[in-house]
């Protein structure tokens, strides 16, 4: 009983914050400022921090499958909230289709950035120590500090990396794009929980737990974004990735989803679920 009371208090507080008009109006500005000025933290963070290692557990367990975690928790929350509100499978699927659209955007972004990097890049073979002494380049260059002097023409990224060589092309940070898109998406989808409770919705333990997991995931994505910007600053690739992530959110949630819901538009979060709509 105590744990459920604590769960109600925490989720009610989080729901009020996420549904607050000022928070919703300015959250994307906060995120933009984080992406813009976050790399400046690299001047103060320690290179010996556990988060300065890309093999750290949080990066491996969450960042590499960030979209999957977002779909599991946010999708489950949207499904349960929609079905509990209306009991209609068609309405529930319509609201879930927003995540499908975002997934298509994420897949399209990855394909587009891979094509861009492949089109603008070149394959380099590091000049080995033996070659610098006139002994030829037969050795396997493995030192990342060796200069990239030997250009290999007629290669693509896949064949270049299979050959153990180095590909250098124009990159846009996928991590920054994904984390910005996911944080904004979760903030939008969970913001309706406050109005749902205010209108007397049944906030049972399963729904509240899913909401709490989404809030925790939102905090984790912000923390990982801050860690990446502070410990692995890459300007301007992270700035461009974050900007494209925010642009994707604006196109979907501030543009397309504001149309009346129908076959061509899933509608905004919460539309058609509450009696106040």
């Amino acid at each position: 009983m105590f744990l459920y009371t604590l769960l109600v208090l925490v989720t009610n507080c989080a729901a009020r914050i996420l549904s607050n008009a000022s928070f919703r109006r300015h959250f994307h500005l906060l995120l933009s400022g984080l992406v813009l000025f976050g790399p400046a933290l690299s001047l103060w963070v320690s290179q010996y921090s556990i988060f300065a290692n890309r093999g750290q557990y949080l990066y491996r367990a969450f960042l590499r499958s960030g979209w999957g975690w977002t779909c599991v928790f946010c999708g489950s929350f949207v499904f349960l909230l929609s079905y509990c509100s209306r009991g209609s499978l068609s309405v529930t699927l319509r609201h879930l289709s927003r995540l499908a659209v975002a997934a298509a955007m994420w897949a399209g972004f990855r394909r587009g950035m891979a094509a861009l990097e492949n089109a603008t890049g070149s394959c380099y073979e590091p000049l080995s120590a033996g070659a610098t002494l006139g002994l030829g380049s037969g050795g396997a260059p493995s030192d990342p500090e060796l200069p990239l002097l030997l250009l290999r023409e007629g290669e693509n990224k896949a064949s270049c990396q299979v050959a153990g060589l180095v590909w250098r092309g124009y990159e846009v940070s996928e991590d920054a794009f994904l984390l910005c898109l996911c944080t904004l998406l979760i903030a939008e989808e969970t913001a309706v929980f406050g109005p749902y409770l205010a209108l007397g919705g049944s906030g049972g333990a399963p729904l509240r737990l899913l909401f709490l997991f989404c809030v925790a995931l939102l905090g984790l994505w912000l923390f990982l974004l801050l860690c990446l910007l502070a410990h692995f600053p890459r300007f301007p690739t992270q700035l461009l990735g974050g900007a494209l992530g925010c642009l994707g959110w604006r196109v979907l949630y501030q543009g397309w989803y504001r149309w009346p819901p129908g076959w061509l538009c899933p509608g905004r979060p919460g539309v058609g679920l509450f009696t106040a709509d």
Side-chain angles (χ1 to χ4, degrees), residues 11 20 40 85 98 121 125 128 150 154 190 207 227:
T11 51
N20 181 270
S85 299
R98 288 192 300 271
E125 182 177 355
S128 65
L150 301 182
T190 55
L207 184 58
C227 287

Side-chain angles (χ1 to χ4, degrees), residues 16-240:
R16 282 195 296 268
I17 294 174
L18 290 174
S19 61
N20 181 270
S22 181
F23 176 86
R24 299 188 65 182
R25 192 180 307 116
H26 298 105
F27 180 67
H28 71 284
L29 298 177
L30 172 66
L31 188 64
S32 300
L34 179 64
V35 174
L36 184 60
F37 299 108
L41 295 176
S42 61
L43 300 174
W44 292 281
V45 297
S46 172
Q47 61 177 332
Y48 302 106
S49 167
I50 59 174
F51 298 107
N53 178 14
R54 284 301 293 258
Q56 206 269 345
Y57 175 77
L58 285 179
Y59 298 138
R60 290 185 288 105
F62 292 96
L63 186 58
R64 294 179 183 177
S65 54
W67 181 248
W69 286 106
T70 301
C71 281
V72 168
F73 287 113
C74 193
S76 299
F77 172 77
V78 171
F79 175 85
L80 192 57
L81 178 68
S82 302
Y83 196 79
C84 288
S85 299
R86 283 299 183 207
S88 170
L89 187 58
S90 61
V91 173
T92 301
L93 292 177
R94 175 168 61 80
H95 282 279
L96 280 175
S97 66
R98 288 192 300 271
L99 295 181
V101 172
M105 175 180 286
W106 167 234
F109 173 83
R110 295 189 66 184
R111 288 181 177 272
M113 291 306 101
L116 175 65
E117 186 179 3
N118 198 58
T120 60
S122 299
C123 188
Y124 294 89
E125 182 177 355
L127 188 62
S128 65
T132 60
L133 297 175
L135 300 178
S137 56
S142 58
D143 188 352
E145 300 298 327
L146 292 174
L148 305 177
L149 296 179
L150 301 182
L151 176 63
R152 299 281 291 262
E153 298 289 354
E155 300 274 359
N156 57 38
K157 182 179 179 180
S159 61
C160 178
Q161 293 181 335
V162 167
L165 305 177
V166 179
W167 183 266
R168 289 288 184 266
Y170 192 80
E171 296 182 14
V172 177
S173 175
E174 291 186 0
D175 292 337
F177 176 90
L178 178 63
L179 291 174
C180 287
L181 180 62
C182 286
T183 53
L184 291 168
L185 182 149
I186 294 175
E188 289 283 352
E189 296 293 344
T190 55
V192 301
F193 193 54
Y196 171 79
L197 295 176
L199 291 171
S202 175
L207 184 58
R208 288 183 181 274
L209 280 173
L210 283 173
F211 173 74
L212 189 60
F213 285 144
C214 289
V215 173
L217 196 62
L218 173 62
L220 178 61
W221 291 161
L222 287 173
F223 176 73
L224 289 181
L225 178 61
L226 185 63
C227 287
L228 289 177
L229 294 171
H231 292 286
F232 311 100
R234 291 191 300 151
F235 188 86
T237 63
Q238 289 173 334
L239 180 62
L240 289 173

